[in-house]
Amino acid sequence: MIAAVVLAAGLSQRMGRPKLVLPWGTTTVIGRVVSVLLEAGASPVVVVTGGAHVLVEQALEGLPAWTAFNPRHMEDQMILSLQIGLAKLPETVEAALVALGDQPQIETAVVQAVMTEYRASRAAIVVPSYQMRRGHPWLLDRQLWPTLLALAPPATLRDFLQAQAGLIRYLPVESASILKDLDTPEDYASQAP
């Protein structure tokens, strides 16, 4: 069983408004991210909320996703959100995809490719790569969860990945979608469908 943890606790400061609930096609930014993860076969999907958590939870109504609130979201540490999300997952989960709540460009085929690579290789970490740049969603095998759960700020996810560099299996993909996210009004205006 491969689950997904969606990091969605940010404050949307550069966007100037809650970006996760902005319209994206027929849904919202967060609705699109969760729908793609579910379509790809990830289960369960846990969305870790923080800023605008009430609006995000409302946007997820009708989708079979769980939510978990990060009470320390003001610290702006993604690692805290990932720890909260992993802790909520049942023991039957073998691995978890780590996805960004502000990445509605996410593609089902890419998510499935990461999951397929994990199942074939059993690598501890599978990271999609586009033109030698790593992106999201990446996958973390349960064997490394205790290591990640033991970390405390100022440790970051980048620090964690650097420390585990020898265990990472990079999966080259042909889509720049793994590198895109929405930070500013200009990003949204140029990328929204």
Side-chain angles (χ1 to χ4, degrees):
M1 182 186 285
I2 298 175
V5 175
V6 182
L7 306 178
L11 299 174
S12 299
Q13 289 176 319
R14 286 180 282 174
M15 186 66 74
R17 54 187 170 154
K19 62 184 173 182
L20 301 183
V21 298
L22 290 173
W24 194 268
T26 59
T27 182
T28 59
V29 168
I30 191 65
R32 169 71 180 159
V33 172
V34 169
S35 294
V36 169
L37 291 166
L38 291 167
E39 285 170 21
S43 180
V45 175
V46 177
V47 179
V48 183
T49 65
H53 66 97
V54 173
L55 293 174
V56 171
E57 289 170 9
Q58 289 172 348
L60 293 171
E61 286 177 8
L63 287 170
W66 303 348
T67 59
F69 178 69
N70 177 355
R72 295 170 61 189
H73 68 275
M74 296 294 284
E75 296 175 32
D76 198 28
Q77 291 283 344
M78 277 200 247
I79 199 164
L80 297 173
S81 290
L82 181 52
Q83 289 169 335
I84 288 167
L86 291 176
K88 187 156 177 126
L89 294 173
E91 290 183 14
T92 51
V93 172
E94 302 169 62
L97 292 157
V98 180
L100 302 178
D102 65 351
Q103 196 176 45
Q105 305 89 339
I106 189 171
E107 296 177 31
T108 305
V110 171
V111 178
Q112 288 175 330
V114 171
M115 295 167 71
T116 298
E117 181 61 32
Y118 168 72
R119 289 186 176 115
S121 68
R122 288 299 170 177
I125 303 172
V126 178
V127 177
S129 169
Y130 177 75
Q131 297 182 351
M132 303 298 287
R133 293 179 61 200
R134 65 183 178 206
H136 289 83
W138 51 278
L139 184 144
L140 183 64
D141 184 270
R142 186 178 205 98
Q143 66 178 302
L144 285 180
W145 294 9
T147 304
L148 190 137
L149 291 168
L151 294 175
T156 65
L157 286 178
R158 179 168 287 170
D159 296 334
F160 170 77
L161 289 171
Q162 286 176 339
Q164 307 300 330
L167 299 176
I168 297 175
R169 185 172 190 95
Y170 286 99
L171 175 67
V173 298
E174 298 300 317
S175 174
S177 65
I178 67 163
L179 306 176
K180 295 181 180 179
D181 60 7
L182 300 175
D183 289 324
T184 66
E186 294 75 23
D187 292 342
Y188 179 68
S190 67
Q191 297 179 48

